[in-house]
Amino acid sequence: MVELRDIKYGLGTGTKAFNRQMMKHAFKNKVKLIDCANLYPTQRNIVGPTIKDLIASNEFDRDSVFIVSKLWVNELGKLRKFDYESWDSCIERNCRKALNELGVKQLDALLIHWPLNEEEKEGYSDEFIIEEIWPQMEQLVKKKMVKYIGVSNFGLVELHKLLDICSIKPYINELEINPYQTNKIVTRFCQDNNIRVIASSPFSFGWKDNHLKLFEESALKEVANKHKISPAAVVVKWLMDQDIIPIPGTSKPEHWDEYSRLDSVVL
């Protein structure tokens, strides 16, 4: 079974341009980590169908790829107002949804996508009570539905609260990390506490316009020209050198192939 210590970079599937061709190419070229989420249409429309096709043709090696999914804020169940209220099994149900969409029997990791919850009636987001949510995540490990559990977009306050109450420590914290948003303090805290850091949005794409202005930065282009690699590859290598796992979302196989050749690059 592939573990995070064996993985230098992975494939993000949350971008609008992500496509079936890229997914097939990644599997053909031994992708080691795929980052999905119940929130992403690509999980059910691209990643899952591709895995199911490979299983049908006996070409899928489950042990060779680390599959991550995430639960969005409205998938964490209702807030329990009183101690005698029971959990509504929403977390387990939505974990099964991810398993079904991806066509696998166990996830390598399931993350809480955002440190907020959403009240069903009101429709507004509020901070959830981690003492209610995390024990349900731990049950998924005990039931062998997931191998590891973790979080995404958690800052220091949320991490301290979680570490104070958990029986099973979070294995991952997935954060936006790029040259514009280094998140150094949270990253260092995670690494000091044996929580692996995955860097989402390594290229700081615009949420509204998908524009990658980072690649126009003169300093980045200068480094890229010096090493005869793309600005994207510079960022990926920069993150790898910090023991952070970048998950670039790309729609072009030639971009993905470049990352496999970065071992010889010394920034």
Side-chain angles (χ1 to χ4, degrees), residues 77-89:
K78 66 180 179 65
L79 295 174
R80 294 163 72 241
K81 303 295 184 187
F82 306 100
D83 288 343
Y84 58 77
E85 287 187 309
S86 60
W87 291 322
D88 56 9
S89 302

Side-chain angles (χ1 to χ4, degrees), residues 76 79-80 87 91 111-117 126-138 149-152 154 157-168 170:
L76 302 173
L79 295 174
R80 294 163 72 241
W87 291 322
I91 288 176
L111 315 182
I112 296 172
H113 204 148
W114 202 267
L116 293 173
N117 203 342
D126 198 4
E127 186 178 359
F128 57 67
I129 301 170
I130 195 67
E131 293 89 341
E132 293 183 1
I133 302 297
W134 198 251
Q136 297 178 74
M137 297 287 287
E138 292 176 340
I149 48 179
V151 295
S152 178
F154 272 46
V157 172
E158 292 88 7
L159 287 168
H160 276 293
K161 284 182 181 177
L162 173 50
L163 292 174
D164 280 346
I165 61 97
C166 66
S167 297
I168 301 173

Side-chain angles (χ1 to χ4, degrees), residues 193-230:
N193 285 277
N194 295 315
I195 300 170
R196 291 305 307 265
V197 179
I198 293 178
S200 63
S201 194
F203 307 141
S204 188
F205 68 87
W207 289 100
K208 293 181 179 177
D209 57 9
N210 266 5
H211 181 58
L212 294 166
K213 65 179 181 177
L214 175 65
F215 294 161
E216 300 305 316
E217 293 286 353
S218 58
L220 186 57
K221 290 200 284 190
E222 188 180 325
V223 176
N225 290 335
K226 176 184 175 183
H227 293 282
K228 296 182 172 55
I229 57 177
S230 69

